Amino acid sequence: MLTRGWSLDLRDVLIAETVNAGVLVRGGGSLTGDGLVVRDVRSRPSDHGGGRGLQVGYQEEDSGQVEVTRAVFERSPDVGVLATCAGTRLTLSDVLIADGRGREGDGASGDGLWVQAGAEVAATRVVIERNREFGVAVVSSRSVTLTDVVVRDTQGTVGPPGHEGEYGYGIEVVEGAVHGDRILIERNRRSGLVANGAGTEVRLSDVVVRDTMPGESDGDGEGLWVQEGALVELTRASLERNHSIGALALGPGTTLTMIDLTVRNTQPAADGTHGWGLAVQAGGAVSVERGLVERSRESGINAWNAGTTLTLTDVVVRDTQGNDADGSEGFGLSVEDEARAEVERGLFEGNGAAGINATGTGTSMALTDVVVRDTGRGTVAGLYGRGLSVEHGAAVEGWRILLEGNRGAGAAVINAGSSWTASDVVVRDTESAVEAGHHGYGVVVSEGGRANVTRSAIERNVSAGVRVELAGSTAVLDDVAVRDTRPRESDGDLGRGVDVYLGARAEVRRGLIAGNRDGGVVVTGEGASLVLTDSTIRDTTAAPADLRFGWGLTIREGATGEVARVLVERNRAAGA
């Protein structure tokens, strides 16, 4: 033990099987070490506590100064290296901290590097591996710098009884601040990186968090967990093959910002659920700039709950699969339960049930320069594969949107209160889906939903380019082209341009309805209504299922229509 202002220089020294601490520096003492090995420290016989390889500082105002180069701290029961109290300064370079055992009394701890109570630490070229509860823990210390650091294979506790397998975190920061460059966090258990509490700040660049394993107590294995008001900023980050969630931000005041991000191959939790790439919930805020999220389960990215905000710029979300339990879900982006999302320049492709999903009253979304394509590819047979799904009162706005090659519907607006307002939209080549009744609508508005679309091209979809159905549903289409709708593959029927059914309403202004099958514009049933002005309906042909049809405009079975300045020409069966 060094104290009372003493200093010591240790070179090429082995310290083994000491009790309580291999090296203790306190009371203003200082140590310089080069070639130091400390191993197999033992807990105190009196209470089975203690067991620290290197301890710098002791209690309040009882600090120490240590600089260690080329050192090994291994098989310590409590913590390999501990820095504590304000005024303590510890510098580590070319150091290994490994194989924490857990205290002999209760099996807890066995941590790698622990920094607390205002101590300052700079660690460079440090490997921290095969420890127990925490690889690195920073608690109430605001000056911790990690450079070229590896934290791996943290295993979780071995006791006390009933708590086996808890923790196993790679790095946890609680009300502290950590800056880091070139960090690898891998094969830890339960969480790779945890930031917890208001005032916590973590800023890392060139960081990899991968292969986090499920905890025995709950089956989760998040790559990154930010909560309770913490702030995390990552630049050039890769989160790969973690379990349950790649990155989670949770709670009011919590902020997670990621630039140049990759999240891939997130695996489900031990029970087969989740596998989300990125999630923000309960009032947290997440911002991603230049991000790739691929091969997640259930959701590539999701945002839930009132007060939650998500901002995505220049992102790709692709190949999200359904969950392992039943193959359901598989959303590229899902925003629910009053959350808010804004997406600028996004590509969502090859996802499962929906490319983009918005659901719940109060949920809102703004999409600018977004492409959603090939949804439903590789999902369980019969599931939807909607490009955009707006349900249960959600509101979505969009500008310059391309929806192509999706299944069931390019865009679906379902339920009272749901709305989609968009301009400069292309919806094309939607394929049919079994669960959608073998339809592949370009746009479907149902059960009281509302769509307002300006400057759009809706082409080569299946069954109907635009389908508006059931009381309260409304579609307002200005400057729209609906053309070349295909009949259903299952029976060769339909292929309509605009199809309004049973209590629904459509308003079409300055529309071109061309090259469709069965009917260009069809309005059917009591309460169904149409307003059609300054439009052209042409070149409607019969569907293969019934060669009698091919009407340009049909209003029937109690439906009503207001038509002005409309050209109807070259249709097969009748103009109107």
Side-chain angles (χ1 to χ4, degrees):
M1 179 178 72
L2 289 181
T3 185
R4 306 303 178 193
W6 287 37
S7 62
L8 182 65
D9 187 1
L10 296 178
R11 295 184 181 274
D12 301 319
V13 173
L14 168 64
I15 300 173
E17 299 185 1
T18 59
V19 175
N20 190 44
V23 177
L24 172 60
V25 182
R26 56 179 291 197
S30 64
L31 169 70
T32 301
D34 188 347
L36 177 64
V37 176
V38 181
R39 63 166 59 116
D40 297 320
V41 177
R42 300 196 301 268
S43 300
R44 295 185 297 267
S46 59
D47 59 3
H48 300 295
R52 297 157 183 171
L54 168 64
Q55 179 175 338
V56 189
Y58 187 69
Q59 295 176 344
E60 187 176 354
E61 299 182 359
D62 196 354
S63 62
Q65 315 292 315
V66 171
E67 182 175 345
V68 176
T69 303
R70 295 189 307 115
V72 175
F73 301 92
E74 59 184 354
R75 297 193 295 273
S76 302
D78 185 28
V79 58
V81 176
L82 169 66
T84 183
C85 90
T88 288
R89 292 179 176 82
L90 171 62
T91 302
L92 302 173
S93 58
D94 302 300
V95 169
L96 171 66
I97 306 172
D99 299 313
R101 303 197 310 266
R103 290 192 299 255
E104 294 167 15
D106 58 11
S109 296
D111 308 316
L113 171 63
W114 190 289
V115 187
Q116 65 183 24
E120 300 178 14
V121 172
T124 304
R125 297 183 303 279
V126 175
V127 175
I128 302 167
E129 63 183 6
R130 297 188 303 276
N131 296 290
R132 286 290 177 179
E133 291 188 354
F134 302 96
V136 176
V138 178
V139 181
S140 301
S141 286
R142 314 259 344 142
S143 182
V144 177
T145 303
L146 308 176
T147 307
D148 299 308
V149 169
V150 175
V151 183
R152 62 190 175 206
D153 297 322
T154 314
Q155 301 169 48
T157 60
V158 293
H163 297 274
E164 298 89 344
E166 291 186 346
Y167 301 113
Y169 300 164
I171 298 176
E172 181 177 45
V173 185
V174 180
E175 298 179 2
V178 174
H179 293 73
D181 296 290
R182 298 181 298 279
I183 311 296
L184 171 61
I185 304 169
E186 66 177 351
R187 295 193 304 271
N188 300 288
R189 190 170 293 277
R190 181 61 176 82
S191 291
L193 171 61
V194 178
N196 190 355
T200 296
E201 297 180 8
V202 178
R203 293 180 170 88
L204 305 178
S205 60
D206 301 297
V207 58
V208 174
V209 184
R210 65 190 181 199
D211 298 318
T212 309
M213 302 303 295
E216 294 180 17
S217 58
D218 60 10
D220 292 336
E222 295 88 359
L224 171 62
W225 186 324
V226 188
Q227 64 180 357
E228 296 185 7
L231 180 150
V232 172
E233 297 178 358
L234 303 181
T235 302
R236 296 182 299 279
S238 176
L239 311 177
E240 301 188 35
R241 297 186 302 275
N242 299 292
H243 285 76
S244 185
I245 307 173
L248 170 65
L250 182 67
T254 298
T255 303
L256 173 59
T257 302
M258 294 176 285
I259 300 173
D260 299 313
L261 170 71
T262 299
V263 183
R264 59 165 57 105
N265 294 323
T266 307
Q267 300 300 302
D271 63 1
T273 60
H274 300 161
W276 306 336
L278 170 62
V280 53
Q281 302 175 5
V286 166
S287 174
V288 178
E289 183 176 345
R290 296 188 300 275
L292 168 64
V293 180
E294 63 180 354
R295 296 192 293 275
S296 306
R297 302 294 182 108
E298 291 191 4
S299 294
I301 301 175
N302 68 52
W304 293 357
N305 311 126
T308 295
T309 60
L310 172 67
T311 304
L312 305 175
T313 306
D314 300 305
V315 297
V316 175
V317 183
R318 63 190 179 203
D319 299 329
T320 310
Q321 304 172 45
N323 68 43
D324 276 2
D326 61 10
S328 64
E329 302 189 28
F331 302 121
L333 168 63
S334 186
V335 182
E336 308 179 32
D337 190 26
E338 301 185 62
R340 166 77 176 172
E342 298 182 3
V343 183
E344 185 171 357
R345 296 185 300 277
L347 169 62
F348 300 83
E349 64 177 351
N351 298 293
I356 297 176
N357 176 60
T359 185
T361 301
T363 299
S364 63
M365 188 183 301
L367 307 174
T368 305
D369 299 309
V370 168
V371 175
V372 185
R373 64 189 180 204
D374 298 331
T375 314
R377 182 177 64 194
T379 60
V380 174
L383 289 179
Y384 287 110
R386 295 171 178 167
L388 170 65
S389 183
V390 186
E391 300 184 74
H392 301 293
V396 175
E397 297 177 288
W399 300 267
R400 297 182 299 280
I401 308 297
L402 170 61
L403 308 172
E404 65 175 348
N406 301 293
R407 290 186 177 276
V413 187
I414 314 294
N415 309 121
S418 299
S419 67
W420 179 41
T421 303
S423 60
D424 302 299
V425 175
V426 175
V427 185
R428 64 192 180 202
D429 299 320
T430 310
E431 299 296 335
S432 61
V434 174
E435 287 291 335
H438 299 282
H439 300 300
Y441 301 128
V443 177
V444 58
V445 185
S446 183
E447 299 179 28
R450 182 181 180 89
N452 291 69
V453 182
T454 302
R455 295 188 301 277
S456 62
I458 302 170
E459 56 191 8
R460 296 191 302 274
N461 301 290
V462 173
S463 188
V466 177
R467 167 81 170 186
V468 193
E469 61 184 19
L470 306 180
S473 301
T474 302
V476 178
L477 308 174
D478 293 314
D479 302 300
V480 60
V482 184
R483 56 195 172 208
D484 300 325
T485 309
R486 296 169 288 157
R488 291 187 303 216
E489 298 96 325
S490 59
D491 58 8
D493 198 10
L494 304 177
R496 296 169 179 171
V498 177
D499 191 6
V500 187
Y501 179 70
L502 204 59
R505 178 179 178 83
E507 300 178 15
V508 180
R509 292 180 283 265
R510 297 179 302 281
L512 170 63
I513 317 297
N516 300 290
R517 300 290 188 100
D518 186 71
V521 178
V522 179
V523 188
T524 306
E526 291 290 337
S529 64
L530 170 71
V531 176
L532 179 65
T533 59
D534 301 304
S535 296
T536 298
I537 305 172
R538 64 163 62 114
D539 298 325
T540 311
T541 61
D546 195 332
L547 298 179
R548 296 174 298 169
F549 300 140
W551 297 310
L553 171 63
T554 303
I555 302 173
R556 62 188 184 184
E557 299 177 17
T560 61
E562 300 177 27
V563 179
R565 297 180 302 280
V566 174
L567 172 64
V568 182
E569 65 178 358
R570 299 197 304 267
N571 300 288
R572 183 186 185 281

